[in-house]
Amino acid sequence: SYELTQPPSLSVSPGQTASITCSGDNLGEKSACWYQQKPGQSPVVVIYDDNKRPSGVPERFSGSNSGNTATLTISGTQAMDEADYYCQAWDSSTVSVGFGGGTKLNVL
Amino acid sequence: QVQLVQSGSELKKPGASVKVSCKASGYTFTSYGINWVRQAPGQGLQWMGWINTNTGNPMYAQGFRGRFVFSFDTSVSTAYLQISSLKAEDTAVYFCAREVLTMGYRFDPWGQGTLVTVSS
């Protein structure tokens, strides 16, 4: 299976920028996406194809992917952004989907 | 709107079987594959595999071969996950999710999840 690594947690103050990283072998050669999951809810896509936002996702969410690292950036973080965030990518060499272990974003 | 609605929570004894359903609406069922994802209590997301709803071909991730079976019924636009010989460590929320292929591969939308509890 394809392994992706995320920091377990990140804390930011409201209004600050949160950057969550996701590392994997040659991840920059694949397309990464990011999910937000709030307690008791299903995951929701916030970024796909490295840097595209689905309709309805606020502009403060952005993404990038280069080398071995994909990054989810939340500018002007709000209290409502407190959630778990997961990166995900498809790896054709292992024919598998990899998820990162998840990052708990605390806004305090 | 595109929606996946899963069956309700299940409480099963070790050694029993369970079948979780995932009913799709708002799109052509056979045009998109269905993936299954497990989330153990307090843990992250684990991809279990997927089923091609056009060809019927399933693909199982490592660790999910043998006791896990993906199936579907196109007449009711519903996918199924069956788990046999349940163990305590199978206790988890199981999600179905529609695959969407663009440059990458993403899951959108997800079902609401089905909690399967295995306990004697």
Side-chain angles (χ1 to χ4, degrees):
Chain A
S1 61
Y2 186 54
E3 303 283 334
L4 293 171
T5 302
Q6 298 179 233
S9 65
L10 176 67
S11 296
V12 297
S13 300
Q16 285 191 328
T17 295
S19 294
I20 301 173
T21 58
C22 172
S23 299
D25 284 348
N26 300 312
L27 180 56
E29 297 178 9
K30 312 176 197 310
S31 291
C33 68
W34 291 88
Y35 301 93
Q36 177 193 69
Q37 185 182 33
K38 295 184 177 180
Q41 298 184 17
S42 305
V44 174
V45 179
V46 291
I47 292 290
Y48 68 98
D49 291 353
D50 296 336
N51 54 23
K52 296 182 174 57
R53 268 181 299 104
S55 61
V57 173
E59 288 185 10
R60 63 180 181 274
F61 288 85
S62 63
S64 63
N65 186 15
S66 178
N68 294 318
T69 304
T71 303
L72 172 69
T73 302
I74 310 172
S75 305
T77 306
Q78 300 184 7
M80 68 173 65
D81 301 329
E82 191 163 275
D84 293 326
Y85 291 86
Y86 295 91
C87 60
Q88 176 248 300
W90 165 261
D91 179 46
S92 57
S93 63
T94 57
V95 195
S96 67
V97 169
F99 280 105
T103 298
K104 182 173 180 57
L105 178 65
N106 300 297
V107 182
L108 35 77
Chain B
Q1 76 280 23
V2 177
Q3 198 173 8
L4 298 175
V5 177
Q6 297 183 226
S7 49
S9 298
E10 301 268 9
L11 173 61
K12 295 291 184 181
K13 294 190 185 304
S17 296
V18 69
K19 193 169 187 176
V20 176
S21 67
C22 169
K23 183 171 178 57
S25 61
Y27 72 97
T28 301
F29 181 73
T30 53
S31 294
Y32 298 83
I34 292 290
N35 286 254
W36 291 93
V37 177
R38 183 168 78 177
Q39 187 168 38
Q43 301 300 306
L45 304 173
Q46 189 176 17
W47 182 66
M48 301 173 65
W50 74 292
I51 187 162
N52 186 321
T53 53
N54 190 34
T55 66
N57 187 38
M59 177 183 290
Y60 300 96
Q62 273 186 334
F64 295 100
R65 295 167 188 159
R67 297 189 299 117
F68 300 83
V69 177
F70 307 146
S71 63
F72 61 87
D73 182 344
T74 54
S75 69
V76 288
S77 299
T78 300
Y80 302 96
L81 164 65
Q82 184 160 359
I83 311 171
S84 59
S85 303
L86 283 163
K87 308 173 183 180
E89 50 265 42
D90 294 323
T91 294
V93 175
Y94 292 85
F95 293 100
C96 62
R98 187 185 73 159
E99 69 167 23
V100 179
L101 299 175
T102 46
M103 276 176 49
Y105 187 96
R106 67 186 185 275
F107 302 147
D108 187 24
W110 295 56
Q112 83 275 21
T114 296
L115 174 62
V116 175
T117 303
V118 184
S119 174
S120 54

PDB file of all heavy atoms in Angstrom, chain A residues 40-63:
ATOM      1  N   GLY A  40     -18.022  12.923  14.326  1.00  0.00           N
ATOM      2  CA  GLY A  40     -19.308  12.298  14.042  1.00  0.00           C
ATOM      3  C   GLY A  40     -19.805  12.478  12.621  1.00  0.00           C
ATOM      4  O   GLY A  40     -20.941  12.117  12.320  1.00  0.00           O
ATOM      5  N   GLN A  41     -18.970  13.051  11.748  1.00  0.00           N
ATOM      6  CA  GLN A  41     -19.391  13.297  10.365  1.00  0.00           C
ATOM      7  C   GLN A  41     -18.507  12.519   9.387  1.00  0.00           C
ATOM      8  O   GLN A  41     -17.449  12.010   9.743  1.00  0.00           O
ATOM      9  CB  GLN A  41     -19.323  14.790  10.050  1.00  0.00           C
ATOM     10  CG  GLN A  41     -20.255  15.646  10.906  1.00  0.00           C
ATOM     11  CD  GLN A  41     -20.228  17.108  10.497  1.00  0.00           C
ATOM     12  OE1 GLN A  41     -19.776  17.472   9.416  1.00  0.00           O
ATOM     13  NE2 GLN A  41     -20.744  17.969  11.381  1.00  0.00           N
ATOM     14  N   SER A  42     -18.994  12.466   8.159  1.00  0.00           N
ATOM     15  CA  SER A  42     -18.212  11.842   7.090  1.00  0.00           C
ATOM     16  C   SER A  42     -17.186  12.831   6.565  1.00  0.00           C
ATOM     17  O   SER A  42     -17.386  14.046   6.649  1.00  0.00           O
ATOM     18  CB  SER A  42     -19.140  11.429   5.948  1.00  0.00           C
ATOM     19  OG  SER A  42     -20.179  10.610   6.414  1.00  0.00           O
ATOM     20  N   PRO A  43     -16.094  12.325   5.988  1.00  0.00           N
ATOM     21  CA  PRO A  43     -15.123  13.229   5.351  1.00  0.00           C
ATOM     22  C   PRO A  43     -15.740  13.975   4.169  1.00  0.00           C
ATOM     23  O   PRO A  43     -16.640  13.457   3.499  1.00  0.00           O
ATOM     24  CB  PRO A  43     -14.023  12.274   4.880  1.00  0.00           C
ATOM     25  CG  PRO A  43     -14.158  11.072   5.760  1.00  0.00           C
ATOM     26  CD  PRO A  43     -15.632  10.937   5.995  1.00  0.00           C
ATOM     27  N   VAL A  44     -15.227  15.183   3.940  1.00  0.00           N
ATOM     28  CA  VAL A  44     -15.670  16.028   2.839  1.00  0.00           C
ATOM     29  C   VAL A  44     -14.421  16.549   2.116  1.00  0.00           C
ATOM     30  O   VAL A  44     -13.456  16.962   2.765  1.00  0.00           O
ATOM     31  CB  VAL A  44     -16.495  17.225   3.366  1.00  0.00           C
ATOM     32  CG1 VAL A  44     -16.834  18.188   2.234  1.00  0.00           C
ATOM     33  CG2 VAL A  44     -17.769  16.739   4.047  1.00  0.00           C
ATOM     34  N   VAL A  45     -14.455  16.523   0.783  1.00  0.00           N
ATOM     35  CA  VAL A  45     -13.322  17.029   0.005  1.00  0.00           C
ATOM     36  C   VAL A  45     -13.213  18.537   0.163  1.00  0.00           C
ATOM     37  O   VAL A  45     -14.195  19.256  -0.033  1.00  0.00           O
ATOM     38  CB  VAL A  45     -13.494  16.692  -1.500  1.00  0.00           C
ATOM     39  CG1 VAL A  45     -12.323  17.242  -2.297  1.00  0.00           C
ATOM     40  CG2 VAL A  45     -13.624  15.196  -1.699  1.00  0.00           C
ATOM     41  N   VAL A  46     -12.001  19.021   0.478  1.00  0.00           N
ATOM     42  CA  VAL A  46     -11.774  20.463   0.500  1.00  0.00           C
ATOM     43  C   VAL A  46     -10.799  20.896  -0.596  1.00  0.00           C
ATOM     44  O   VAL A  46     -10.828  22.043  -1.042  1.00  0.00           O
ATOM     45  CB  VAL A  46     -11.277  20.970   1.873  1.00  0.00           C
ATOM     46  CG1 VAL A  46     -12.387  20.853   2.919  1.00  0.00           C
ATOM     47  CG2 VAL A  46     -10.025  20.232   2.335  1.00  0.00           C
ATOM     48  N   ILE A  47      -9.921  19.978  -1.036  1.00  0.00           N
ATOM     49  CA  ILE A  47      -9.002  20.228  -2.143  1.00  0.00           C
ATOM     50  C   ILE A  47      -8.866  18.932  -2.937  1.00  0.00           C
ATOM     51  O   ILE A  47      -8.722  17.852  -2.349  1.00  0.00           O
ATOM     52  CB  ILE A  47      -7.608  20.675  -1.659  1.00  0.00           C
ATOM     53  CG1 ILE A  47      -7.655  22.060  -1.016  1.00  0.00           C
ATOM     54  CG2 ILE A  47      -6.572  20.643  -2.815  1.00  0.00           C
ATOM     55  CD1 ILE A  47      -7.917  23.215  -1.998  1.00  0.00           C
ATOM     56  N   TYR A  48      -8.895  19.029  -4.278  1.00  0.00           N
ATOM     57  CA  TYR A  48      -8.631  17.861  -5.111  1.00  0.00           C
ATOM     58  C   TYR A  48      -7.696  18.257  -6.245  1.00  0.00           C
ATOM     59  O   TYR A  48      -7.500  19.433  -6.522  1.00  0.00           O
ATOM     60  CB  TYR A  48      -9.937  17.246  -5.635  1.00  0.00           C
ATOM     61  CG  TYR A  48     -10.681  18.102  -6.629  1.00  0.00           C
ATOM     62  CD1 TYR A  48     -10.555  17.898  -8.004  1.00  0.00           C
ATOM     63  CD2 TYR A  48     -11.546  19.116  -6.196  1.00  0.00           C
ATOM     64  CE1 TYR A  48     -11.243  18.681  -8.918  1.00  0.00           C
ATOM     65  CE2 TYR A  48     -12.231  19.896  -7.097  1.00  0.00           C
ATOM     66  CZ  TYR A  48     -12.084  19.676  -8.463  1.00  0.00           C
ATOM     67  OH  TYR A  48     -12.772  20.456  -9.362  1.00  0.00           O
ATOM     68  N   ASP A  49      -7.125  17.250  -6.917  1.00  0.00           N
ATOM     69  CA  ASP A  49      -6.173  17.512  -8.005  1.00  0.00           C
ATOM     70  C   ASP A  49      -5.126  18.538  -7.568  1.00  0.00           C
ATOM     71  O   ASP A  49      -4.826  19.487  -8.304  1.00  0.00           O
ATOM     72  CB  ASP A  49      -6.910  17.983  -9.262  1.00  0.00           C
ATOM     73  CG  ASP A  49      -7.746  16.893  -9.903  1.00  0.00           C
ATOM     74  OD1 ASP A  49      -7.648  15.728  -9.457  1.00  0.00           O
ATOM     75  OD2 ASP A  49      -8.497  17.203 -10.836  1.00  0.00           O
ATOM     76  N   ASP A  50      -4.589  18.335  -6.403  1.00  0.00           N
ATOM     77  CA  ASP A  50      -3.528  19.153  -5.788  1.00  0.00           C
ATOM     78  C   ASP A  50      -3.976  20.521  -5.295  1.00  0.00           C
ATOM     79  O   ASP A  50      -3.562  20.943  -4.205  1.00  0.00           O
ATOM     80  CB  ASP A  50      -2.352  19.379  -6.769  1.00  0.00           C
ATOM     81  CG  ASP A  50      -1.634  18.109  -7.147  1.00  0.00           C
ATOM     82  OD1 ASP A  50      -1.703  17.136  -6.370  1.00  0.00           O
ATOM     83  OD2 ASP A  50      -0.992  18.093  -8.212  1.00  0.00           O
ATOM     84  N   ASN A  51      -4.763  21.249  -6.102  1.00  0.00           N
ATOM     85  CA  ASN A  51      -5.013  22.652  -5.757  1.00  0.00           C
ATOM     86  C   ASN A  51      -6.386  23.169  -6.177  1.00  0.00           C
ATOM     87  O   ASN A  51      -6.600  24.380  -6.215  1.00  0.00           O
ATOM     88  CB  ASN A  51      -3.935  23.533  -6.401  1.00  0.00           C
ATOM     89  CG  ASN A  51      -3.823  23.303  -7.903  1.00  0.00           C
ATOM     90  OD1 ASN A  51      -4.750  22.837  -8.540  1.00  0.00           O
ATOM     91  ND2 ASN A  51      -2.672  23.608  -8.462  1.00  0.00           N
ATOM     92  N   LYS A  52      -7.310  22.288  -6.477  1.00  0.00           N
ATOM     93  CA  LYS A  52      -8.640  22.720  -6.898  1.00  0.00           C
ATOM     94  C   LYS A  52      -9.624  22.655  -5.724  1.00  0.00           C
ATOM     95  O   LYS A  52      -9.589  21.699  -4.941  1.00  0.00           O
ATOM     96  CB  LYS A  52      -9.147  21.865  -8.062  1.00  0.00           C
ATOM     97  CG  LYS A  52      -8.316  22.013  -9.332  1.00  0.00           C
ATOM     98  CD  LYS A  52      -8.895  21.188 -10.462  1.00  0.00           C
ATOM     99  CE  LYS A  52      -8.174  21.445 -11.771  1.00  0.00           C
ATOM    100  NZ  LYS A  52      -6.738  21.181 -11.698  1.00  0.00           N
ATOM    101  N   ARG A  53     -10.477  23.690  -5.647  1.00  0.00           N
ATOM    102  CA  ARG A  53     -11.478  23.737  -4.583  1.00  0.00           C
ATOM    103  C   ARG A  53     -12.843  23.381  -5.125  1.00  0.00           C
ATOM    104  O   ARG A  53     -13.299  23.979  -6.096  1.00  0.00           O
ATOM    105  CB  ARG A  53     -11.560  25.157  -3.983  1.00  0.00           C
ATOM    106  CG  ARG A  53     -10.686  25.407  -2.796  1.00  0.00           C
ATOM    107  CD  ARG A  53     -10.856  26.832  -2.267  1.00  0.00           C
ATOM    108  NE  ARG A  53     -10.503  27.848  -3.248  1.00  0.00           N
ATOM    109  CZ  ARG A  53     -11.383  28.574  -3.925  1.00  0.00           C
ATOM    110  NH1 ARG A  53     -12.677  28.411  -3.695  1.00  0.00           N
ATOM    111  NH2 ARG A  53     -10.978  29.481  -4.791  1.00  0.00           N
ATOM    112  N   PRO A  54     -13.544  22.406  -4.493  1.00  0.00           N
ATOM    113  CA  PRO A  54     -14.937  22.139  -4.909  1.00  0.00           C
ATOM    114  C   PRO A  54     -15.787  23.378  -4.631  1.00  0.00           C
ATOM    115  O   PRO A  54     -15.452  24.204  -3.763  1.00  0.00           O
ATOM    116  CB  PRO A  54     -15.356  20.984  -4.003  1.00  0.00           C
ATOM    117  CG  PRO A  54     -14.082  20.380  -3.517  1.00  0.00           C
ATOM    118  CD  PRO A  54     -13.110  21.494  -3.432  1.00  0.00           C
ATOM    119  N   SER A  55     -16.887  23.478  -5.375  1.00  0.00           N
ATOM    120  CA  SER A  55     -17.799  24.592  -5.105  1.00  0.00           C
ATOM    121  C   SER A  55     -18.312  24.492  -3.675  1.00  0.00           C
ATOM    122  O   SER A  55     -18.589  23.405  -3.170  1.00  0.00           O
ATOM    123  CB  SER A  55     -18.959  24.585  -6.094  1.00  0.00           C
ATOM    124  OG  SER A  55     -19.680  23.381  -5.970  1.00  0.00           O
ATOM    125  N   GLY A  56     -18.366  25.643  -3.020  1.00  0.00           N
ATOM    126  CA  GLY A  56     -18.835  25.676  -1.643  1.00  0.00           C
ATOM    127  C   GLY A  56     -17.721  25.673  -0.616  1.00  0.00           C
ATOM    128  O   GLY A  56     -17.965  25.984   0.549  1.00  0.00           O
ATOM    129  N   VAL A  57     -16.514  25.322  -1.028  1.00  0.00           N
ATOM    130  CA  VAL A  57     -15.379  25.358  -0.099  1.00  0.00           C
ATOM    131  C   VAL A  57     -14.802  26.777  -0.102  1.00  0.00           C
ATOM    132  O   VAL A  57     -14.517  27.326  -1.165  1.00  0.00           O
ATOM    133  CB  VAL A  57     -14.294  24.338  -0.501  1.00  0.00           C
ATOM    134  CG1 VAL A  57     -13.035  24.501   0.361  1.00  0.00           C
ATOM    135  CG2 VAL A  57     -14.849  22.911  -0.367  1.00  0.00           C
ATOM    136  N   PRO A  58     -14.620  27.369   1.065  1.00  0.00           N
ATOM    137  CA  PRO A  58     -14.143  28.760   1.135  1.00  0.00           C
ATOM    138  C   PRO A  58     -12.785  28.967   0.478  1.00  0.00           C
ATOM    139  O   PRO A  58     -11.937  28.061   0.454  1.00  0.00           O
ATOM    140  CB  PRO A  58     -14.064  29.025   2.637  1.00  0.00           C
ATOM    141  CG  PRO A  58     -15.023  28.070   3.252  1.00  0.00           C
ATOM    142  CD  PRO A  58     -14.970  26.845   2.407  1.00  0.00           C
ATOM    143  N   GLU A  59     -12.580  30.170  -0.043  1.00  0.00           N
ATOM    144  CA  GLU A  59     -11.334  30.493  -0.736  1.00  0.00           C
ATOM    145  C   GLU A  59     -10.111  30.433   0.175  1.00  0.00           C
ATOM    146  O   GLU A  59      -8.976  30.355  -0.317  1.00  0.00           O
ATOM    147  CB  GLU A  59     -11.441  31.907  -1.330  1.00  0.00           C
ATOM    148  CG  GLU A  59     -12.360  32.001  -2.518  1.00  0.00           C
ATOM    149  CD  GLU A  59     -12.340  33.391  -3.147  1.00  0.00           C
ATOM    150  OE1 GLU A  59     -11.479  34.208  -2.778  1.00  0.00           O
ATOM    151  OE2 GLU A  59     -13.207  33.658  -4.010  1.00  0.00           O
ATOM    152  N   ARG A  60     -10.315  30.464   1.487  1.00  0.00           N
ATOM    153  CA  ARG A  60      -9.162  30.410   2.393  1.00  0.00           C
ATOM    154  C   ARG A  60      -8.455  29.052   2.356  1.00  0.00           C
ATOM    155  O   ARG A  60      -7.346  28.923   2.864  1.00  0.00           O
ATOM    156  CB  ARG A  60      -9.569  30.763   3.820  1.00  0.00           C
ATOM    157  CG  ARG A  60     -10.569  29.827   4.467  1.00  0.00           C
ATOM    158  CD  ARG A  60     -10.892  30.298   5.901  1.00  0.00           C
ATOM    159  NE  ARG A  60     -11.839  29.419   6.570  1.00  0.00           N
ATOM    160  CZ  ARG A  60     -13.140  29.542   6.459  1.00  0.00           C
ATOM    161  NH1 ARG A  60     -13.645  30.521   5.715  1.00  0.00           N
ATOM    162  NH2 ARG A  60     -13.959  28.720   7.099  1.00  0.00           N
ATOM    163  N   PHE A  61      -9.083  28.043   1.748  1.00  0.00           N
ATOM    164  CA  PHE A  61      -8.466  26.724   1.590  1.00  0.00           C
ATOM    165  C   PHE A  61      -7.709  26.679   0.256  1.00  0.00           C
ATOM    166  O   PHE A  61      -8.272  26.983  -0.796  1.00  0.00           O
ATOM    167  CB  PHE A  61      -9.505  25.608   1.614  1.00  0.00           C
ATOM    168  CG  PHE A  61     -10.095  25.357   2.969  1.00  0.00           C
ATOM    169  CD1 PHE A  61     -11.169  26.101   3.426  1.00  0.00           C
ATOM    170  CD2 PHE A  61      -9.578  24.359   3.795  1.00  0.00           C
ATOM    171  CE1 PHE A  61     -11.723  25.874   4.686  1.00  0.00           C
ATOM    172  CE2 PHE A  61     -10.124  24.123   5.047  1.00  0.00           C
ATOM    173  CZ  PHE A  61     -11.194  24.888   5.502  1.00  0.00           C
ATOM    174  N   SER A  62      -6.432  26.286   0.302  1.00  0.00           N
ATOM    175  CA  SER A  62      -5.662  26.127  -0.926  1.00  0.00           C
ATOM    176  C   SER A  62      -4.711  24.949  -0.769  1.00  0.00           C
ATOM    177  O   SER A  62      -4.465  24.472   0.348  1.00  0.00           O
ATOM    178  CB  SER A  62      -4.879  27.407  -1.250  1.00  0.00           C
ATOM    179  OG  SER A  62      -3.936  27.675  -0.225  1.00  0.00           O
ATOM    180  N   GLY A  63      -4.179  24.474  -1.901  1.00  0.00           N
ATOM    181  CA  GLY A  63      -3.304  23.315  -1.853  1.00  0.00           C
ATOM    182  C   GLY A  63      -2.154  23.434  -2.837  1.00  0.00           C
ATOM    183  O   GLY A  63      -2.233  24.171  -3.825  1.00  0.00           O
TER     184      GLY A  63
END
